[in-house]
Amino acid sequence: MALPSLLDELLRATAPSGAEDAVMAIVRREAAAFAEVESDVQGNTRARVAGTAGGRTLALLAHADEIGLIVTHVHEDGLASVSRLAGWPAKSAAGRRVTVLGRNGPVPGVVVRTTKGEKDPDWTDLRLDIGAADAAAALALVEPGDSGVVSGDPVELAGGRVMSKSLDNRVGVYAGLETLRRLAADPPAFDVALVVTAREETGLGGGADVAARALGADVAIVFEVTYAADVPGVDPGDWGNSRLGAGPTVFRGPTIHPAVAAGLRAAAEGAGIAYSIEAGKSTFSDSEAVHVAGTPVGLVSVPLRYMHTPNEIVQLSDVDAASRLVEAYARSLEPDASFVR
């Protein structure tokens, strides 16, 4: 399976938390061909397709942002202090090329250590080098508050796999768009609204929680990625035995509505789509915000290797299977479906 051009474009976009405009522009452009599209003050984008029964709504959610950093101070030597915007360890950021969204456009640079030794660095030990000779030259390009992401363009690998930055969670955005595109061509009973959310990686809310409360959907499915268990150092006992090429995962746990999880499993089995079970106390995803907003929610994730690095890897067939699973679930919903427990 070759890398779809739309997914390639989404992966190349620079969209740190709070600055997701590049991804949102792609989503709006694509969805406008088959859905009613709107945005909100939180930076979320919503695309809605009318169902055949009228009134009830299935929400599909996927976050647009990727792990990133933010400039906090520019020093006299032209180097800049930076802080993380997401769960990005300093030791993983050190030595990485990055792209910063500067005042006049993208600015390339590298994150460097100011300390020596074997001890893992803290973010206070890191600096951003954009090649500037002094503070004035640096400030002509970037200033405190500018944010950026690690560099890592998509590379197609053997076996239908792809390696890239931002697979977390551009594969979810892509799967959501493709699901909505097919549902628009042959609408199900429920209205379907795809919500591409902002700021998930910060854990600070403002994206999915606001969108879920405003939409007031009857039921929701979140597209995400999850840690693949088929790499050294990952124990399947932590989350589940998710593996590249074995299909998406369906989450079961206290914040996931049991009827939605059961419906997803039934839809997968009815459509002949392989999947595995992921389980735990928390999903660490937008599904938590949707749950707190009072909407019954399920979570479908694509197994991913090397989370929060520029070299994340997924199998493209798993992305397609996640989309087809959620499409099957959407088509399984009856107009009078009840989620009361």
Side-chain angles (χ1 to χ4, degrees), residues 210-238:
V210 171
R213 294 176 193 279
L215 186 58
D218 297 276
V219 59
I221 305 295
V222 172
F223 285 103
E224 253 291 3
V225 295
T226 188
Y227 292 94
D230 55 359
V231 292
V234 178
D235 184 354
D238 291 341

Side-chain angles (χ1 to χ4, degrees), residues 174-192:
Y174 172 79
L177 279 167
E178 292 305 295
T179 302
L180 193 66
R181 192 191 309 274
R182 292 194 298 271
L183 291 171
D186 181 15
F190 275 46
D191 290 4
V192 183

Side-chain angles (χ1 to χ4, degrees), residues 35 39 41 78 91 94 112 132 141 152-153 200 204 208 213 216 264 277 310 340:
S39 302
V41 296
K91 65 179 181 180
V112 298
L141 298 171
D153 287 343
E200 188 272 348
L204 299 176
R213 294 176 193 279
L264 285 166
I277 295 295
V340 176

Side-chain angles (χ1 to χ4, degrees), residues 19 46 57:
R46 184 171 72 189
T57 299

Side-chain angles (χ1 to χ4, degrees), residues 329-340:
Y329 177 77
R331 298 193 184 284
S332 74
L333 288 171
E334 298 291 342
D336 60 351
S338 174
F339 301 96
V340 176

Side-chain angles (χ1 to χ4, degrees), residues 280-324:
K281 176 184 176 182
S282 174
T283 69
F284 300 100
S285 75
D286 273 344
S287 68
E288 306 290 322
V290 179
H291 164 72
V292 171
T295 301
V297 65
L299 175 62
V300 173
S301 299
V302 173
L304 176 141
R305 292 178 175 177
Y306 319 123
M307 184 89 70
H308 289 183
T309 75
N311 305 308
E312 296 173 338
I313 297 176
V314 299
Q315 183 141 342
L316 292 170
S317 62
D318 294 335
V319 182
D320 179 65
S323 176
R324 291 188 292 108

Side-chain angles (χ1 to χ4, degrees), residues 52-305:
T52 60
R56 308 196 74 190
T57 299
L58 164 66
L60 310 179
L61 296 96
H63 72 85
D65 57 321
E66 59 191 290
I67 59 165
L69 53 77
I70 189 166
V71 175
T72 56
H73 178 70
V74 175
H75 299 270
E76 288 303 317
D77 59 4
L79 302 181
S81 292
V82 290
S83 180
R84 67 179 181 176
L85 288 176
W88 191 9
K91 65 179 181 180
S92 296
R96 299 294 190 189
R97 294 184 182 186
V98 297
T99 300
V100 178
L101 296 174
R103 61 175 66 197
N104 297 313
V107 178
V110 61
V111 177
V112 298
R113 291 186 60 161
T114 61
T115 57
K116 296 181 178 180
E118 297 182 359
K119 179 179 178 294
D120 287 343
D122 295 322
W123 278 88
T124 54
D125 300 320
L126 303 181
R127 295 290 186 272
L128 170 67
D129 188 343
I130 59 171
D134 53 33
L139 286 167
L141 298 171
V142 301
E143 62 180 337
D146 289 343
S147 55
V149 303
V150 66
S151 300
D153 287 343
V155 177
E156 294 188 63
L157 304 177
R161 295 174 176 178
V162 63
M163 175 174 66
S164 180
K165 75 169 185 67
S166 70
L167 284 163
D168 173 14
N169 180 39
R170 303 294 159 69
V171 294
V173 175
Y174 172 79
L177 279 167
E178 292 305 295
T179 302
L180 193 66
R181 192 191 309 274
R182 292 194 298 271
L183 291 171
D186 181 15
F190 275 46
D191 290 4
V192 183
L194 171 65
V195 185
V196 180
T197 62
R199 298 191 306 284
E200 188 272 348
E201 293 289 0
T202 67
L204 299 176
D209 50 354
V210 171
R213 294 176 193 279
L215 186 58
D218 297 276
V219 59
I221 305 295
V222 172
F223 285 103
E224 253 291 3
V225 295
T226 188
Y227 292 94
D230 55 359
V231 292
V234 178
D235 184 354
D238 291 341
W239 292 94
N241 195 26
S242 57
R243 310 177 72 84
L244 268 64
T249 67
V250 174
F251 201 97
R252 299 187 68 209
T255 61
I256 296 298
H257 196 287
V260 181
L264 285 166
R265 297 176 69 184
E269 290 159 11
I273 299 170
Y275 70 96
S276 61
I277 295 295
E278 187 177 15
K281 176 184 176 182
S282 174
T283 69
F284 300 100
S285 75
D286 273 344
S287 68
E288 306 290 322
V290 179
H291 164 72
V292 171
T295 301
V297 65
L299 175 62
V300 173
S301 299
V302 173
L304 176 141
R305 292 178 175 177

